[in-house]
Every structure is written in structure tokens, then in C-alpha cells.
Amino acid sequence: MEIVVSGIRPTGNLHLGNYFGAVKSFVRMQHEYNCYFFIADWHSLTTHPRPENIRNSAKTILAEYIACGLDPEKATIYVQSDVREVAELYLYLNMNAYLGELERVTTFKDKVRSQPDNVNAGLLTYPSLMAADIIIHKAVKVPVGKDQEQNMEMARKFARRFNTIYETDFFPEPASFHFTKAAVKIPGLDGSGKMGKSEGNAIYLIDDEKTIRKKVMRAVTDSGPVTPNSQKPEPIQNLFTLMEIVSSQEVYNFFNEKYNNCEIRYGDMKKQLAEDINAFCAPIRERINEIIADDVYLEKIALQGAEKASQSAAKTLNEVRRIIGFKPYR
């Protein structure tokens, strides 16, 4: 069975964009592939989080993964820092990574511009740690968004380079992968772009009904169409896209017809959208709260995932050490 690896940084709660863009695919993939899903707490150190934030965020993401349908008996779900072999492979990959190529990575250049006072080595070597996360399990497929494609190319490059330097074909080159033909892009509520944590335009799966309503009612709109069947501007199309995802076809058709007839009342539409988003999130939110309150269960799942991932990683790393010329661990 082909191996699939993917991770998420524990920088906050999962939102609707995460759910439809990644987690929903993960839930389906676990039935068809040998999946390793991890919580990338080492990656989060580039932002210098407090210790309590790291622990709480990892716990929250783990609970949300399970609440969304990931099954620890079908997929290996673990916390990155619980698998120490990843850090050693990260070291070996860094020894063969070059400053120029790391500095040319778009995500690094973006970070340099956005946080000039915190340009740390972890940001620079993010691609090699990401590569270590993937190839430690000899993964062949990685579900990622377009914004990570350059980092995926770096992962393939590092796998090829290791094979070339040590004259082996040990590491496969991991391919970017979408479980569906096209990734679902969930728009934000600020009128443009996709939903995201850093953009501040997200609806989180854990949000209560009051919070959801408040966020949706603040969504950007305009004064309404003046010409029948006119094209929807992006902020309005975003609302309809969200409605298409969480509302019934009947509800969507009703407001779409009102828009096309220049009779749309955005206040009514947003009230309905908020109600439908809450109806979608409520059972997931209830399950998250139930799981996150059970520390014993979460600890058991984290330990189980760490053991499975460590077995896979140790097997790879012992062979890597032998190939490089170091003694395997006993």
C-alpha cells in the first residue's frame, strides 16, 4: 500500500478551509493508503511560541483531527517532536542543502519581508525539515496546497541529492497529491482570498453559534446588483461559495435567484448562512469538546501514534546511517 504523509502546524484551531481543503481528504485517504498524519510542533518554533502554547495547541489539533473523522486505528497520527529520528535526518539533509537554494524559496522570502526582526535559521531550513518529515517514512505521495509546491520540489531535490551523493536509490521522490481532481478552496469572510488563520478571516470548527453569527454578519458585501443576472463581485461570490458548501441546494437556489433578480437582501442571506454553518459545525464542535476533555484518551492516542511512527522512522534512519557510513543504532 502506498505511503502518504502530511502535517499541519499547531498554530491555532482548524477552520472550515482546513476541513474542506485537507482534513476531509485525509479521512478518505486513510481507507486507501498507509497514512502518516503529524502535528508539526517543531515547525512552530520559528515563531517562538510559549511552552504552554505548544502543548495546548498540539492537544487541540489532535482532538480536532479525531473529531473530524481521522481514525487512529487506520492512520498513524502523531506529534512531530515525539519522533526524534526526524531531527537527525533533518541534520543530514541540511549538510547537503545550499544557502543559495534555500534563500530562493518563495515562502522564506515572504517571511523575510513580513517579519524582518525574526529571520531565523528554522525559517531558512524549513524545506529540509519538511523533506525529513516526508522521506523519513519513504512517502510517495503528499497532499499539499499550491503554496507548498516549491517546498515539495525541494523535498524531491533533497531525496535525489541523497541518492546521487551516496550512489543509491534508497529514497523515492515524493509527489504532490490531491485526493480529488481539484482541491476545494474555501474563501474568507473579508472579501478576497482564501480562508486562513493569518488573514483573520476564518470560521473555526470550534466556534460557538454566537461567534459564527457575529463573523458572518460582518462579512463584506456591496449595495447589491442593479442589472439582472450580473456577474457577482468576489466578496459576494465568496458568500455564495460558502452557501453552496454548507446549505441545501434549495436555499442556495433561492438566494441566487434573488440576486439575479436584483432582489437580494444580504442581511437575510447572511443570517441563513450563519445558521447553516452552525448546523454543519455543531456536531464536530460537540465532538471536539468531548475529546479534548479526555486527557487520558488523547495521551493514549499520541503514544500509540508515536510508537508506530517511530518504528517506521527508526527503520529508515538505521539504513540512512549505514549508507552514510555511521554505525546503525542498536
Side-chain angles (χ1 to χ4, degrees):
M1 185 181 290
E2 291 182 309
I3 298 174
V4 172
V5 170
S6 190
I8 185 169
R9 289 180 64 178
T11 54
N13 298 98
L14 296 179
H15 53 69
L16 285 176
N18 298 137
Y19 180 82
F20 286 102
V23 179
K24 194 174 180 182
S25 292
F26 295 170
V27 172
R28 296 175 62 191
M29 278 187 274
Q30 67 184 343
H31 300 289
E32 299 185 24
Y33 298 93
N34 183 8
C35 294
Y36 289 83
F37 299 128
F38 66 95
I39 299 163
D41 54 346
W42 273 334
H43 282 286
S44 71
L45 293 178
T46 59
T47 60
H48 303 154
R50 302 295 303 163
E52 60 272 18
N53 292 338
I54 292 177
R55 289 190 292 269
N56 291 336
S57 294
K59 174 184 174 182
T60 298
I61 295 296
L62 179 58
E64 290 179 333
Y65 263 162
I66 298 169
C68 288
L70 285 184
D71 184 349
E73 300 303 320
K74 295 184 181 299
T76 301
I77 310 169
Y78 63 98
V79 178
Q80 183 186 35
S81 61
D82 285 341
V83 182
R84 60 186 180 183
E85 290 85 357
V86 173
E88 186 172 344
L89 182 57
Y90 171 46
L91 181 149
Y92 297 148
L93 296 182
N94 276 335
M95 294 300 182
N96 296 318
Y98 301 109
L99 180 61
E101 64 186 357
L102 292 172
E103 288 180 329
R104 287 192 294 273
V105 174
T106 302
T107 51
F108 174 70
K109 292 191 288 187
D110 290 343
K111 291 295 184 181
V112 170
R113 286 191 291 267
S114 64
Q115 53 185 67
D117 296 328
N118 182 25
V119 182
N120 54 67
L123 289 173
L124 180 67
T125 60
Y126 179 100
S128 49
L129 180 53
M130 179 174 166
D133 290 322
I134 296 165
I135 68 176
I136 194 74
H137 301 297
K138 303 184 76 172
V140 295
K141 292 182 178 179
V142 185
V144 292
K146 288 184 178 180
D147 60 330
Q148 290 295 323
E149 186 50 52
Q150 189 177 22
N151 286 325
M152 279 301 303
E153 181 52 45
M154 294 291 284
R156 289 187 283 271
K157 180 183 290 186
F158 292 145
R160 284 195 304 270
R161 186 172 292 162
F162 181 92
N163 291 345
T164 299
I165 290 173
Y166 297 106
E167 299 179 341
T168 181
D169 59 355
F170 183 68
F171 284 121
E173 292 185 27
S176 302
F177 173 63
H178 293 299
F179 193 71
T180 54
K181 289 185 178 179
V184 178
K185 180 182 177 182
I186 306 300
L189 296 169
D190 57 350
S192 63
K194 68 177 183 178
M195 186 172 289
K197 298 182 184 74
S198 58
E199 289 80 4
N201 61 8
I203 294 175
Y204 296 97
L205 300 177
I206 197 69
D207 282 345
D208 59 29
E209 185 174 3
K210 182 178 179 181
T211 301
I212 290 172
R213 187 183 306 111
K214 185 176 181 179
K215 287 181 176 181
V216 174
M217 295 307 292
R218 289 203 309 254
V220 174
T221 55
D222 57 19
S223 58
V226 294
T227 304
N229 300 310
S230 58
Q231 183 176 352
K232 300 179 182 74
E234 186 173 17
I236 306 307
Q237 182 58 55
N238 286 354
L239 291 179
F240 275 96
T241 298
L242 285 168
M243 182 165 275
E244 191 172 19
I245 292 166
V246 300
S247 304
S248 68
Q249 189 64 50
E250 182 181 7
V251 167
Y252 176 87
N253 290 342
F254 173 81
F255 285 103
N256 192 48
E257 183 178 350
K258 289 292 184 182
Y259 184 89
N260 289 333
N261 293 336
C262 303
E263 299 172 349
I264 189 75
R265 296 177 58 174
Y266 291 128
D268 292 343
M269 181 183 181
K270 289 195 281 189
K271 287 178 183 176
Q272 182 65 53
L273 179 58
E275 183 178 322
D276 292 341
I277 290 175
N278 182 66
F280 175 83
C281 290
I284 301 176
R285 178 173 67 234
E286 182 178 341
R287 181 68 175 141
I288 292 171
N289 288 329
E290 177 185 320
I291 294 171
I292 208 167
D294 193 341
D295 286 327
V296 174
Y297 172 71
L298 285 173
E299 184 64 28
K300 176 185 174 183
I301 296 305
L303 180 60
Q304 175 181 301
E307 288 176 349
K308 290 181 180 179
S310 294
Q311 287 174 6
S312 169
K315 182 179 178 182
T316 300
L317 193 60
N318 268 331
E319 186 63 16
V320 166
R321 288 176 65 89
R322 185 194 65 77
I323 291 170
I324 293 175
F326 298 124
K327 292 179 180 179
Y329 287 121
R330 301 183 185 210

